[in-house]
Amino acid sequence: MPEIKSEITPEVVVEHGLSEDEYEKIIEIMGREPNLTELGVFSVMWSEHCSYKSSKKWLKTLPTEAPWVICGPGENAGIIDIGDGQAAIFKMESHNHPSYIEPYQGAATGVGGILRDVFTMGARPIANMNALRFGQPDNPITKHLVSGVVAGIGGYGNCVGVPTVGGECNFHASYDGNILVNAMTVGLSAADNIFYSAATGTGNPVVYVGSKTGRDGIHGATMASTEFNADSEEKRPTVQVGDPFTEKLLIEACLELMATDAIVAIQDMGAAGLTSSSFEMASKGGVGVEMDLDKVPAREEGMTAYEFLLSESQERMLMVLVPGNEGIAREIFEKWELDFAVVGHLTDTGRMVIKMDGEVAADLPIDPLALASPEYDRPWVKTEPQPVVAA
């Protein structure tokens, strides 16, 4: 009998940004070898960009509790009580690697993603800010990076109609090989009308809204977690492509639906797209999900389950609705000329079952991907204090 060769070779594991030990952990969790689609899901969920596996140790040391903190870490954005029944919802996040590879789109989609994190929680975005770090001014690539990043930040924010009210920009040789692009959005919401991402209610419909899914940004989260080398230019296709005019429609449609009682949970599709949004929502609510990828609005023909799950096409959201409200929600999103599709439902299994073409494309336990990613204590060297410079 001929030997059946596995499609998951050591080379494939490395290409997905996973170590040998991490792959062994995957096999232990699943009790079998994953298929390629399942490996892709693990690779993005356990990437630095999605799991913070090298920075969790340090993030845990930051102060997060106070009488005015309504919501700390763990949701799409932080929430502060500012009095008079109002709350400020805000978040800052980096989009460093994408902006180094493709400055305009990398920075623009950084702004788009941070806007979604804020209005996902029920706030209307009112202001953007940024903190930028570039290499030396005489570095041959610096001018290209600065012009692209600045244009991307301004272009996306202006088209959406949210002003950039402040920021900072510094240059230093240590950023010659990789810039820092930190985007921040602040929104305003009623303190008693905040939306969270925990999916609950077995049988409740899972709904996809916004733009169609294409092949752009596949493995964007994995790319954003790796070091750069001579082939960095080849990673350009992994950078997402934004459409701020669609994002503006999405803001208005979501806020309109939020004025009803139709939403159980809501999450934007950021890094790792449909994968991260569905796993995170299900894990927080302690439920399972059954999803049919044949029902996901597609921008391109012939897409595989792997591509649907790992695409980072922008301006997309995932919701869980109160049963019977699908018609109301569909009417709102179609009025704003956005896609609306019921793509699945919640289960009580604690597993993510992905179907396509009538077959199971992936069957994965939810919590190990969302909560049990590796955590590392990387070697580090203390930075020496800078000498005092006389004014």
Side-chain angles (χ1 to χ4, degrees), residues 183-259:
M184 179 175 181
T185 291
V186 179
L188 196 61
S189 172
D192 61 355
N193 193 39
I194 294 166
F195 291 79
Y196 295 94
S197 58
T200 57
T202 300
N204 283 351
V206 176
V207 173
Y208 171 118
V209 299
S211 293
K212 289 179 170 59
T213 296
R215 291 187 171 95
D216 50 313
I218 292 174
H219 270 301
T222 308
M223 173 274 295
S225 306
T226 58
E227 294 183 5
F228 286 136
N229 50 40
D231 68 353
S232 294
E233 185 68 19
E234 297 175 8
K235 298 177 181 176
R236 187 181 296 268
T238 63
V239 177
Q240 310 91 332
V241 179
D243 179 357
F245 298 106
T246 298
E247 180 111 337
K248 172 62 175 173
L249 301 179
L250 191 57
I251 292 173
E252 300 306 327
C254 287
L255 293 179
E256 184 173 338
L257 184 60
M258 287 168 172

Side-chain angles (χ1 to χ4, degrees), residues 22 25-26 29 42 45-46 51 53 56 279 283 365-376:
E22 287 171 344
K25 183 67 174 177
I26 291 170
I29 288 170
F42 268 99
M45 289 299 292
W46 283 10
S51 73
K53 59 188 176 185
K56 278 190 287 190
F279 272 89
S283 179
I366 287 170
D367 280 349
L369 280 111
L371 300 178
S373 63
E375 182 175 336
Y376 298 114

